[in-house]
PDB file of all heavy atoms in Angstrom:
ATOM      1  N   VAL A  71      -2.465  -2.348   7.748  1.00  0.00           N
ATOM      2  CA  VAL A  71      -2.726  -2.298   9.181  1.00  0.00           C
ATOM      3  C   VAL A  71      -4.134  -1.781   9.449  1.00  0.00           C
ATOM      4  O   VAL A  71      -4.751  -1.109   8.605  1.00  0.00           O
ATOM      5  CB  VAL A  71      -1.692  -1.419   9.921  1.00  0.00           C
ATOM      6  CG1 VAL A  71      -0.285  -1.999   9.793  1.00  0.00           C
ATOM      7  CG2 VAL A  71      -1.727   0.027   9.446  1.00  0.00           C
ATOM      8  N   GLU A  72      -4.607  -2.095  10.650  1.00  0.00           N
ATOM      9  CA  GLU A  72      -5.910  -1.625  11.083  1.00  0.00           C
ATOM     10  C   GLU A  72      -5.846  -0.132  11.388  1.00  0.00           C
ATOM     11  O   GLU A  72      -4.784   0.387  11.740  1.00  0.00           O
ATOM     12  CB  GLU A  72      -6.338  -2.368  12.352  1.00  0.00           C
ATOM     13  CG  GLU A  72      -6.556  -3.841  12.137  1.00  0.00           C
ATOM     14  CD  GLU A  72      -6.832  -4.596  13.433  1.00  0.00           C
ATOM     15  OE1 GLU A  72      -6.460  -4.097  14.520  1.00  0.00           O
ATOM     16  OE2 GLU A  72      -7.413  -5.691  13.347  1.00  0.00           O
ATOM     17  N   PRO A  73      -6.999   0.556  11.301  1.00  0.00           N
ATOM     18  CA  PRO A  73      -7.024   1.954  11.729  1.00  0.00           C
ATOM     19  C   PRO A  73      -6.810   2.058  13.236  1.00  0.00           C
ATOM     20  O   PRO A  73      -6.991   1.073  13.964  1.00  0.00           O
ATOM     21  CB  PRO A  73      -8.431   2.429  11.336  1.00  0.00           C
ATOM     22  CG  PRO A  73      -9.227   1.202  11.082  1.00  0.00           C
ATOM     23  CD  PRO A  73      -8.280   0.090  10.789  1.00  0.00           C
ATOM     24  N   ALA A  74      -6.419   3.235  13.704  1.00  0.00           N
ATOM     25  CA  ALA A  74      -6.160   3.441  15.130  1.00  0.00           C
ATOM     26  C   ALA A  74      -7.417   3.199  15.964  1.00  0.00           C
ATOM     27  O   ALA A  74      -7.344   2.692  17.071  1.00  0.00           O
ATOM     28  CB  ALA A  74      -5.645   4.849  15.379  1.00  0.00           C
ATOM     29  N   THR A  75      -8.580   3.557  15.414  1.00  0.00           N
ATOM     30  CA  THR A  75      -9.848   3.317  16.101  1.00  0.00           C
ATOM     31  C   THR A  75     -10.807   2.647  15.134  1.00  0.00           C
ATOM     32  O   THR A  75     -10.738   2.871  13.919  1.00  0.00           O
ATOM     33  CB  THR A  75     -10.476   4.641  16.598  1.00  0.00           C
ATOM     34  OG1 THR A  75     -10.660   5.513  15.473  1.00  0.00           O
ATOM     35  CG2 THR A  75      -9.603   5.320  17.623  1.00  0.00           C
ATOM     36  N   LYS A  76     -11.684   1.813  15.661  1.00  0.00           N
ATOM     37  CA  LYS A  76     -12.693   1.165  14.812  1.00  0.00           C
ATOM     38  C   LYS A  76     -13.494   2.250  14.114  1.00  0.00           C
ATOM     39  O   LYS A  76     -13.904   3.224  14.725  1.00  0.00           O
ATOM     40  CB  LYS A  76     -13.620   0.278  15.642  1.00  0.00           C
ATOM     41  CG  LYS A  76     -12.915  -0.936  16.204  1.00  0.00           C
ATOM     42  CD  LYS A  76     -12.593  -1.928  15.115  1.00  0.00           C
ATOM     43  CE  LYS A  76     -11.906  -3.154  15.699  1.00  0.00           C
ATOM     44  NZ  LYS A  76     -11.285  -3.967  14.698  1.00  0.00           N
ATOM     45  N   GLY A  77     -13.684   2.067  12.815  1.00  0.00           N
ATOM     46  CA  GLY A  77     -14.385   3.078  12.038  1.00  0.00           C
ATOM     47  C   GLY A  77     -13.481   4.224  11.629  1.00  0.00           C
ATOM     48  O   GLY A  77     -13.924   5.182  11.005  1.00  0.00           O
ATOM     49  N   GLY A  78     -12.199   4.130  11.965  1.00  0.00           N
ATOM     50  CA  GLY A  78     -11.257   5.202  11.645  1.00  0.00           C
ATOM     51  C   GLY A  78     -10.906   5.277  10.176  1.00  0.00           C
ATOM     52  O   GLY A  78     -10.560   6.333   9.669  1.00  0.00           O
ATOM     53  N   ALA A  79     -10.995   4.157   9.465  1.00  0.00           N
ATOM     54  CA  ALA A  79     -10.786   4.168   8.017  1.00  0.00           C
ATOM     55  C   ALA A  79     -12.154   4.394   7.392  1.00  0.00           C
ATOM     56  O   ALA A  79     -13.073   3.605   7.587  1.00  0.00           O
ATOM     57  CB  ALA A  79     -10.191   2.853   7.548  1.00  0.00           C
ATOM     58  N   GLN A  80     -12.300   5.487   6.680  1.00  0.00           N
ATOM     59  CA  GLN A  80     -13.600   5.848   6.129  1.00  0.00           C
ATOM     60  C   GLN A  80     -13.901   5.061   4.863  1.00  0.00           C
ATOM     61  O   GLN A  80     -13.103   5.053   3.929  1.00  0.00           O
ATOM     62  CB  GLN A  80     -13.633   7.355   5.820  1.00  0.00           C
ATOM     63  CG  GLN A  80     -13.489   8.220   7.055  1.00  0.00           C
ATOM     64  CD  GLN A  80     -14.602   7.979   8.056  1.00  0.00           C
ATOM     65  OE1 GLN A  80     -15.766   7.942   7.702  1.00  0.00           O
ATOM     66  NE2 GLN A  80     -14.239   7.785   9.306  1.00  0.00           N
ATOM     67  N   PRO A  81     -15.079   4.397   4.808  1.00  0.00           N
ATOM     68  CA  PRO A  81     -15.449   3.687   3.592  1.00  0.00           C
ATOM     69  C   PRO A  81     -15.682   4.672   2.453  1.00  0.00           C
ATOM     70  O   PRO A  81     -16.144   5.790   2.683  1.00  0.00           O
ATOM     71  CB  PRO A  81     -16.745   2.962   3.958  1.00  0.00           C
ATOM     72  CG  PRO A  81     -17.089   3.322   5.341  1.00  0.00           C
ATOM     73  CD  PRO A  81     -16.053   4.262   5.870  1.00  0.00           C
ATOM     74  N   THR A  82     -15.337   4.266   1.267  1.00  0.00           N
ATOM     75  CA  THR A  82     -15.555   5.121   0.108  1.00  0.00           C
ATOM     76  C   THR A  82     -16.513   4.415  -0.843  1.00  0.00           C
ATOM     77  O   THR A  82     -16.697   3.209  -0.785  1.00  0.00           O
ATOM     78  CB  THR A  82     -14.236   5.407  -0.632  1.00  0.00           C
ATOM     79  OG1 THR A  82     -13.670   4.172  -1.037  1.00  0.00           O
ATOM     80  CG2 THR A  82     -13.260   6.155   0.242  1.00  0.00           C
ATOM     81  N   GLU A  83     -17.117   5.187  -1.688  1.00  0.00           N
ATOM     82  CA  GLU A  83     -18.011   4.647  -2.709  1.00  0.00           C
ATOM     83  C   GLU A  83     -17.477   5.072  -4.065  1.00  0.00           C
ATOM     84  O   GLU A  83     -16.999   6.188  -4.225  1.00  0.00           O
ATOM     85  CB  GLU A  83     -19.436   5.179  -2.530  1.00  0.00           C
ATOM     86  CG  GLU A  83     -20.117   4.689  -1.268  1.00  0.00           C
ATOM     87  CD  GLU A  83     -20.402   3.190  -1.278  1.00  0.00           C
ATOM     88  OE1 GLU A  83     -20.597   2.606  -2.355  1.00  0.00           O
ATOM     89  OE2 GLU A  83     -20.408   2.602  -0.185  1.00  0.00           O
ATOM     90  N   THR A  84     -17.589   4.205  -5.027  1.00  0.00           N
ATOM     91  CA  THR A  84     -17.178   4.560  -6.373  1.00  0.00           C
ATOM     92  C   THR A  84     -17.886   3.665  -7.370  1.00  0.00           C
ATOM     93  O   THR A  84     -18.234   2.534  -7.057  1.00  0.00           O
ATOM     94  CB  THR A  84     -15.649   4.447  -6.553  1.00  0.00           C
ATOM     95  OG1 THR A  84     -15.326   4.907  -7.866  1.00  0.00           O
ATOM     96  CG2 THR A  84     -15.158   3.030  -6.409  1.00  0.00           C
ATOM     97  N   LYS A  85     -18.093   4.205  -8.556  1.00  0.00           N
ATOM     98  CA  LYS A  85     -18.696   3.414  -9.621  1.00  0.00           C
ATOM     99  C   LYS A  85     -17.744   3.296 -10.805  1.00  0.00           C
ATOM    100  O   LYS A  85     -18.001   2.581 -11.738  1.00  0.00           O
ATOM    101  CB  LYS A  85     -20.011   4.060 -10.062  1.00  0.00           C
ATOM    102  CG  LYS A  85     -21.061   4.024  -8.981  1.00  0.00           C
ATOM    103  CD  LYS A  85     -22.338   4.661  -9.436  1.00  0.00           C
ATOM    104  CE  LYS A  85     -23.327   4.584  -8.288  1.00  0.00           C
ATOM    105  NZ  LYS A  85     -24.280   5.625  -8.279  1.00  0.00           N
ATOM    106  N   ASP A  86     -16.644   4.035 -10.748  1.00  0.00           N
ATOM    107  CA  ASP A  86     -15.692   4.041 -11.853  1.00  0.00           C
ATOM    108  C   ASP A  86     -14.730   2.869 -11.750  1.00  0.00           C
ATOM    109  O   ASP A  86     -14.320   2.486 -10.665  1.00  0.00           O
ATOM    110  CB  ASP A  86     -14.878   5.336 -11.849  1.00  0.00           C
ATOM    111  CG  ASP A  86     -15.745   6.556 -12.082  1.00  0.00           C
ATOM    112  OD1 ASP A  86     -16.750   6.430 -12.792  1.00  0.00           O
ATOM    113  OD2 ASP A  86     -15.412   7.627 -11.548  1.00  0.00           O
ATOM    114  N   ALA A  87     -14.369   2.326 -12.888  1.00  0.00           N
ATOM    115  CA  ALA A  87     -13.345   1.287 -12.951  1.00  0.00           C
ATOM    116  C   ALA A  87     -12.320   1.714 -14.000  1.00  0.00           C
ATOM    117  O   ALA A  87     -12.685   2.210 -15.070  1.00  0.00           O
ATOM    118  CB  ALA A  87     -13.949  -0.062 -13.319  1.00  0.00           C
ATOM    119  N   ALA A  88     -11.059   1.550 -13.683  1.00  0.00           N
ATOM    120  CA  ALA A  88      -9.993   1.909 -14.625  1.00  0.00           C
ATOM    121  C   ALA A  88     -10.062   1.011 -15.851  1.00  0.00           C
ATOM    122  O   ALA A  88     -10.399  -0.167 -15.761  1.00  0.00           O
ATOM    123  CB  ALA A  88      -8.636   1.781 -13.949  1.00  0.00           C
ATOM    124  N   LYS A  89      -9.732   1.587 -16.986  1.00  0.00           N
ATOM    125  CA  LYS A  89      -9.706   0.825 -18.238  1.00  0.00           C
ATOM    126  C   LYS A  89      -8.284   0.649 -18.756  1.00  0.00           C
ATOM    127  O   LYS A  89      -7.994  -0.283 -19.471  1.00  0.00           O
ATOM    128  CB  LYS A  89     -10.571   1.528 -19.275  1.00  0.00           C
ATOM    129  CG  LYS A  89     -12.049   1.546 -18.876  1.00  0.00           C
ATOM    130  CD  LYS A  89     -12.907   2.161 -19.934  1.00  0.00           C
ATOM    131  CE  LYS A  89     -14.374   2.211 -19.597  1.00  0.00           C
ATOM    132  NZ  LYS A  89     -14.804   1.985 -18.276  1.00  0.00           N
ATOM    133  N   GLU A  90      -7.375   1.570 -18.351  1.00  0.00           N
ATOM    134  CA  GLU A  90      -5.995   1.514 -18.821  1.00  0.00           C
ATOM    135  C   GLU A  90      -5.035   1.850 -17.686  1.00  0.00           C
ATOM    136  O   GLU A  90      -5.400   2.518 -16.735  1.00  0.00           O
ATOM    137  CB  GLU A  90      -5.768   2.525 -19.955  1.00  0.00           C
ATOM    138  CG  GLU A  90      -6.560   2.249 -21.211  1.00  0.00           C
ATOM    139  CD  GLU A  90      -6.279   3.291 -22.279  1.00  0.00           C
ATOM    140  OE1 GLU A  90      -6.450   4.495 -22.015  1.00  0.00           O
ATOM    141  OE2 GLU A  90      -5.856   2.886 -23.388  1.00  0.00           O
ATOM    142  N   TYR A  91      -3.789   1.381 -17.851  1.00  0.00           N
ATOM    143  CA  TYR A  91      -2.732   1.709 -16.896  1.00  0.00           C
ATOM    144  C   TYR A  91      -1.461   2.063 -17.654  1.00  0.00           C
ATOM    145  O   TYR A  91      -1.276   1.689 -18.814  1.00  0.00           O
ATOM    146  CB  TYR A  91      -2.473   0.540 -15.930  1.00  0.00           C
ATOM    147  CG  TYR A  91      -1.746  -0.631 -16.536  1.00  0.00           C
ATOM    148  CD1 TYR A  91      -0.363  -0.750 -16.412  1.00  0.00           C
ATOM    149  CD2 TYR A  91      -2.429  -1.619 -17.249  1.00  0.00           C
ATOM    150  CE1 TYR A  91       0.316  -1.820 -16.973  1.00  0.00           C
ATOM    151  CE2 TYR A  91      -1.760  -2.682 -17.807  1.00  0.00           C
ATOM    152  CZ  TYR A  91      -0.393  -2.786 -17.668  1.00  0.00           C
ATOM    153  OH  TYR A  91       0.288  -3.851 -18.224  1.00  0.00           O
ATOM    154  N   SER A  92      -0.581   2.805 -16.971  1.00  0.00           N
ATOM    155  CA  SER A  92       0.687   3.193 -17.567  1.00  0.00           C
ATOM    156  C   SER A  92       1.756   3.267 -16.495  1.00  0.00           C
ATOM    157  O   SER A  92       1.555   3.918 -15.471  1.00  0.00           O
ATOM    158  CB  SER A  92       0.565   4.558 -18.245  1.00  0.00           C
ATOM    159  OG  SER A  92       1.847   5.007 -18.675  1.00  0.00           O
ATOM    160  N   PRO A  93       2.909   2.637 -16.718  1.00  0.00           N
ATOM    161  CA  PRO A  93       3.994   2.749 -15.748  1.00  0.00           C
ATOM    162  C   PRO A  93       4.703   4.111 -15.795  1.00  0.00           C
ATOM    163  O   PRO A  93       5.368   4.501 -14.845  1.00  0.00           O
ATOM    164  CB  PRO A  93       4.954   1.627 -16.122  1.00  0.00           C
ATOM    165  CG  PRO A  93       4.606   1.236 -17.505  1.00  0.00           C
ATOM    166  CD  PRO A  93       3.199   1.666 -17.766  1.00  0.00           C
ATOM    167  N   ASP A  94       4.518   4.853 -16.897  1.00  0.00           N
ATOM    168  CA  ASP A  94       5.265   6.099 -17.063  1.00  0.00           C
ATOM    169  C   ASP A  94       4.427   7.300 -17.503  1.00  0.00           C
ATOM    170  O   ASP A  94       4.962   8.377 -17.719  1.00  0.00           O
ATOM    171  CB  ASP A  94       6.408   5.890 -18.063  1.00  0.00           C
ATOM    172  CG  ASP A  94       5.917   5.431 -19.430  1.00  0.00           C
ATOM    173  OD1 ASP A  94       4.688   5.446 -19.691  1.00  0.00           O
ATOM    174  OD2 ASP A  94       6.766   5.037 -20.249  1.00  0.00           O
ATOM    175  N   GLY A  95       3.128   7.124 -17.707  1.00  0.00           N
ATOM    176  CA  GLY A  95       2.268   8.211 -18.172  1.00  0.00           C
ATOM    177  C   GLY A  95       2.362   8.457 -19.661  1.00  0.00           C
ATOM    178  O   GLY A  95       1.700   9.340 -20.189  1.00  0.00           O
ATOM    179  N   GLN A  96       3.179   7.667 -20.364  1.00  0.00           N
ATOM    180  CA  GLN A  96       3.354   7.828 -21.811  1.00  0.00           C
ATOM    181  C   GLN A  96       2.658   6.703 -22.578  1.00  0.00           C
ATOM    182  O   GLN A  96       1.788   6.957 -23.387  1.00  0.00           O
ATOM    183  CB  GLN A  96       4.850   7.855 -22.167  1.00  0.00           C
ATOM    184  CG  GLN A  96       5.643   8.932 -21.457  1.00  0.00           C
ATOM    185  CD  GLN A  96       5.187  10.327 -21.804  1.00  0.00           C
ATOM    186  OE1 GLN A  96       4.981  10.639 -22.963  1.00  0.00           O
ATOM    187  NE2 GLN A  96       5.016  11.157 -20.790  1.00  0.00           N
ATOM    188  N   ALA A  97       3.090   5.481 -22.307  1.00  0.00           N
ATOM    189  CA  ALA A  97       2.514   4.312 -22.990  1.00  0.00           C
ATOM    190  C   ALA A  97       1.393   3.739 -22.123  1.00  0.00           C
ATOM    191  O   ALA A  97       1.619   3.408 -20.954  1.00  0.00           O
ATOM    192  CB  ALA A  97       3.592   3.257 -23.220  1.00  0.00           C
ATOM    193  N   TRP A  98       0.199   3.633 -22.681  1.00  0.00           N
ATOM    194  CA  TRP A  98      -0.961   3.131 -21.939  1.00  0.00           C
ATOM    195  C   TRP A  98      -1.338   1.742 -22.429  1.00  0.00           C
ATOM    196  O   TRP A  98      -1.237   1.448 -23.622  1.00  0.00           O
ATOM    197  CB  TRP A  98      -2.134   4.099 -22.089  1.00  0.00           C
ATOM    198  CG  TRP A  98      -1.883   5.366 -21.345  1.00  0.00           C
ATOM    199  CD1 TRP A  98      -1.242   6.488 -21.808  1.00  0.00           C
ATOM    200  CD2 TRP A  98      -2.221   5.631 -19.986  1.00  0.00           C
ATOM    201  NE1 TRP A  98      -1.159   7.432 -20.815  1.00  0.00           N
ATOM    202  CE2 TRP A  98      -1.762   6.941 -19.687  1.00  0.00           C
ATOM    203  CE3 TRP A  98      -2.863   4.901 -18.992  1.00  0.00           C
ATOM    204  CZ2 TRP A  98      -1.932   7.513 -18.434  1.00  0.00           C
ATOM    205  CZ3 TRP A  98      -3.041   5.484 -17.753  1.00  0.00           C
ATOM    206  CH2 TRP A  98      -2.578   6.780 -17.478  1.00  0.00           C
ATOM    207  N   HIS A  99      -1.751   0.896 -21.504  1.00  0.00           N
ATOM    208  CA  HIS A  99      -2.101  -0.481 -21.801  1.00  0.00           C
ATOM    209  C   HIS A  99      -3.475  -0.789 -21.206  1.00  0.00           C
ATOM    210  O   HIS A  99      -3.836  -0.246 -20.155  1.00  0.00           O
ATOM    211  CB  HIS A  99      -1.078  -1.442 -21.184  1.00  0.00           C
ATOM    212  CG  HIS A  99       0.337  -1.065 -21.485  1.00  0.00           C
ATOM    213  ND1 HIS A  99       0.949  -1.324 -22.695  1.00  0.00           N
ATOM    214  CD2 HIS A  99       1.264  -0.406 -20.736  1.00  0.00           C
ATOM    215  CE1 HIS A  99       2.189  -0.866 -22.669  1.00  0.00           C
ATOM    216  NE2 HIS A  99       2.401  -0.304 -21.498  1.00  0.00           N
ATOM    217  N   PRO A 100      -4.228  -1.692 -21.841  1.00  0.00           N
ATOM    218  CA  PRO A 100      -5.521  -2.060 -21.251  1.00  0.00           C
ATOM    219  C   PRO A 100      -5.311  -2.836 -19.946  1.00  0.00           C
ATOM    220  O   PRO A 100      -4.326  -3.552 -19.793  1.00  0.00           O
ATOM    221  CB  PRO A 100      -6.180  -2.936 -22.323  1.00  0.00           C
ATOM    222  CG  PRO A 100      -5.086  -3.366 -23.228  1.00  0.00           C
ATOM    223  CD  PRO A 100      -3.969  -2.369 -23.101  1.00  0.00           C
ATOM    224  N   ILE A 101      -6.251  -2.670 -19.012  1.00  0.00           N
ATOM    225  CA  ILE A 101      -6.218  -3.450 -17.775  1.00  0.00           C
ATOM    226  C   ILE A 101      -6.234  -4.920 -18.188  1.00  0.00           C
ATOM    227  O   ILE A 101      -6.998  -5.311 -19.067  1.00  0.00           O
ATOM    228  CB  ILE A 101      -7.441  -3.112 -16.886  1.00  0.00           C
ATOM    229  CG1 ILE A 101      -7.375  -1.652 -16.414  1.00  0.00           C
ATOM    230  CG2 ILE A 101      -7.568  -4.073 -15.715  1.00  0.00           C
ATOM    231  CD1 ILE A 101      -6.251  -1.312 -15.457  1.00  0.00           C
ATOM    232  N   PRO A 102      -5.383  -5.768 -17.603  1.00  0.00           N
ATOM    233  CA  PRO A 102      -5.308  -7.167 -18.020  1.00  0.00           C
ATOM    234  C   PRO A 102      -6.663  -7.879 -17.957  1.00  0.00           C
ATOM    235  O   PRO A 102      -7.442  -7.693 -17.024  1.00  0.00           O
ATOM    236  CB  PRO A 102      -4.331  -7.789 -17.006  1.00  0.00           C
ATOM    237  CG  PRO A 102      -3.496  -6.641 -16.554  1.00  0.00           C
ATOM    238  CD  PRO A 102      -4.413  -5.449 -16.543  1.00  0.00           C
ATOM    239  N   GLU A 103      -6.923  -8.661 -18.970  1.00  0.00           N
ATOM    240  CA  GLU A 103      -8.152  -9.440 -19.034  1.00  0.00           C
ATOM    241  C   GLU A 103      -8.164 -10.448 -17.886  1.00  0.00           C
ATOM    242  O   GLU A 103      -7.144 -11.051 -17.568  1.00  0.00           O
ATOM    243  CB  GLU A 103      -8.223 -10.181 -20.377  1.00  0.00           C
ATOM    244  CG  GLU A 103      -9.603 -10.648 -20.713  1.00  0.00           C
ATOM    245  CD  GLU A 103      -9.693 -11.131 -22.146  1.00  0.00           C
ATOM    246  OE1 GLU A 103      -9.236 -10.395 -23.050  1.00  0.00           O
ATOM    247  OE2 GLU A 103     -10.207 -12.238 -22.331  1.00  0.00           O
ATOM    248  N   GLY A 104      -9.308 -10.602 -17.265  1.00  0.00           N
ATOM    249  CA  GLY A 104      -9.450 -11.537 -16.159  1.00  0.00           C
ATOM    250  C   GLY A 104      -9.262 -10.889 -14.801  1.00  0.00           C
ATOM    251  O   GLY A 104      -9.565 -11.496 -13.777  1.00  0.00           O
TER     252      GLY A 104
END
Side-chain angles (χ1 to χ4, degrees):
V71 297
E72 295 174 338
T75 58
K76 292 289 181 195
Q80 296 300 313
T82 59
E83 293 293 331
T84 184
K85 294 180 180 151
D86 296 329
K89 295 184 180 14
E90 296 180 304
Y91 73 95
S92 173
D94 59 10
Q96 303 297 314
W98 290 88
H99 311 282
I101 295 293
E103 198 169 310

